[in-house]
Amino acid sequence: MASLFEAAGMEAEAPRPLADRLRPEHLGEVVGQDHLLGEEGALTRMLDAGRLGSIILWGPPGTGKTTIARLLAGKVDLEFVQLSAIFSGVADLRKAFEAAKQRRMAGQGTLLFVDEIHRFNRAQQDGFLPHVEDGTIVLVGATTENPSFELNPAVLSRAQVLTLKRLDEPALEQLLQRAEAHMGRALPVIDEAREALFALADGDGRYALNLAEELFAAVSEDAEPLDREGLSKIVQRRVPLYDKGQDGHYNLISA
């Protein structure tokens, strides 16, 4: 029996996390990576030159690796295909390579984004080489581990390693302001709790937005904003005492 949504010609859609709803739609919206995306950034120079070679994006979680890869594909008109080395195997790679070959024959290039690429063994990593060399794919790998130790020299010789930085306080503040604009209300915390939230996020933008979403859901609009102790009760973990001089960064209060 059709649901009310289906009967009305609509599809029921699961709610998307705030971090996903706020995912940048343009490279200029990516925060905290100006050394790559600023006027003199490595990726900016690459795009200005009209080329995009294979690259390895190395950085901590929540710094924009997947988003950058997806937006790069759109910028240079490549089909974006995403695989995870955690969940994909040889059969998935073969299928991706074959589909890329078919696209190439039709005049469409492919950007193959491989998350956690260091999880592939050496034989699997070597499997990318002929497809990179003949132009079937532009490989963009993402890793949280040092590529020099985790990736084959043959892969590294064919891909430029670009390092992403942990998001600093101004970058995290930009994300929180976007969250507030999207939700139509201020984050329900006082300044000291907001700074403690920066410390909790530890440079991870996705985690910062997840915390913000948790706070929006837990605190009503007419409630008093939370102090640091109130924040610790909501997030159910110890909240760092945060100060710009870093002297109190490792002093913790009990949740």
Side-chain angles (χ1 to χ4, degrees), residues 32 34-35 48 53 60-61 97 136 151 167 185 187 193 200 224 231 234 252:
D34 289 348
H35 63 296
D48 287 346
F97 296 147
T136 298
L151 297 184
L167 302 191
R185 56 182 287 210
L187 196 65
L200 275 172
E224 287 292 317
L231 173 65
I234 294 295
L252 303 178

Side-chain angles (χ1 to χ4, degrees), residues 48-65:
D48 287 346
R51 62 177 180 82
L52 179 64
S54 292
I55 56 177
I56 302 297
L57 299 175
W58 172 31
T63 51
K65 296 184 290 295

Side-chain angles (χ1 to χ4, degrees), residues 134-167:
D134 68 10
T136 298
I137 62 169
V138 171
L139 174 65
V140 177
T143 179
T144 56
E145 304 296 326
N146 190 329
S148 298
F149 300 123
E150 301 295 337
L151 297 184
N152 287 4
V155 172
L156 293 176
S157 71
R158 292 162 175 81
Q160 183 176 354
V161 176
L162 301 176
T163 304
L164 281 77
K165 299 177 180 179
R166 291 184 182 277
L167 302 191

Side-chain angles (χ1 to χ4, degrees), residues 11-204:
E11 290 186 5
E13 186 175 304
R16 293 163 57 206
L18 181 62
D20 188 51
R21 283 178 274 155
L22 293 179
R23 194 179 287 274
E25 296 182 359
H26 307 283
L27 286 169
E29 297 175 0
V30 176
V31 301
Q33 309 301 337
D34 289 348
H35 63 296
L36 299 179
L37 297 169
E39 288 188 12
E40 299 299 322
L43 285 173
T44 301
R45 292 197 304 270
M46 198 180 290
L47 293 172
D48 287 346
R51 62 177 180 82
L52 179 64
S54 292
I55 56 177
I56 302 297
L57 299 175
W58 172 31
T63 51
K65 296 184 290 295
T66 303
T67 293
I68 288 173
R70 178 176 55 82
L71 295 176
L72 285 174
K75 191 76 172 176
V76 295
D77 196 27
L78 296 176
E79 182 77 14
F80 180 70
V81 177
Q82 180 173 352
L83 292 176
S84 168
I86 298 175
F87 302 111
S88 303
V90 173
D92 301 294
L93 289 174
R94 287 175 178 163
K95 188 181 299 183
F97 296 147
E98 183 57 36
K101 288 178 183 177
Q102 296 301 318
R103 285 191 209 96
R104 188 183 182 197
M105 292 173 62
Q108 174 66 56
T110 300
L111 186 152
L112 180 60
F113 174 67
V114 183
D115 198 15
E116 304 290 347
I117 191 172
H118 62 277
R119 299 291 190 102
F120 279 138
N121 61 38
R122 291 188 174 273
Q124 289 170 316
Q125 290 180 30
D126 284 343
F128 292 107
L129 302 180
H131 307 289
V132 169
E133 289 175 345
D134 68 10
T136 298
I137 62 169
V138 171
L139 174 65
V140 177
T143 179
T144 56
E145 304 296 326
N146 190 329
S148 298
F149 300 123
E150 301 295 337
L151 297 184
N152 287 4
V155 172
L156 293 176
S157 71
R158 292 162 175 81
Q160 183 176 354
V161 176
L162 301 176
T163 304
L164 281 77
K165 299 177 180 179
R166 291 184 182 277
L167 302 191
D168 58 15
E169 181 180 335
L172 291 171
E173 176 61 29
Q174 280 185 267
L175 293 182
L176 293 187
Q177 289 180 7
R178 290 178 188 176
E180 290 171 325
H182 180 79
M183 298 298 293
R185 56 182 287 210
L187 196 65
V189 293
I190 64 174
D191 288 346
E192 69 164 16
R194 194 179 187 95
E195 291 182 343
L197 192 151
F198 294 147
L200 275 172
D202 192 25
D204 184 332

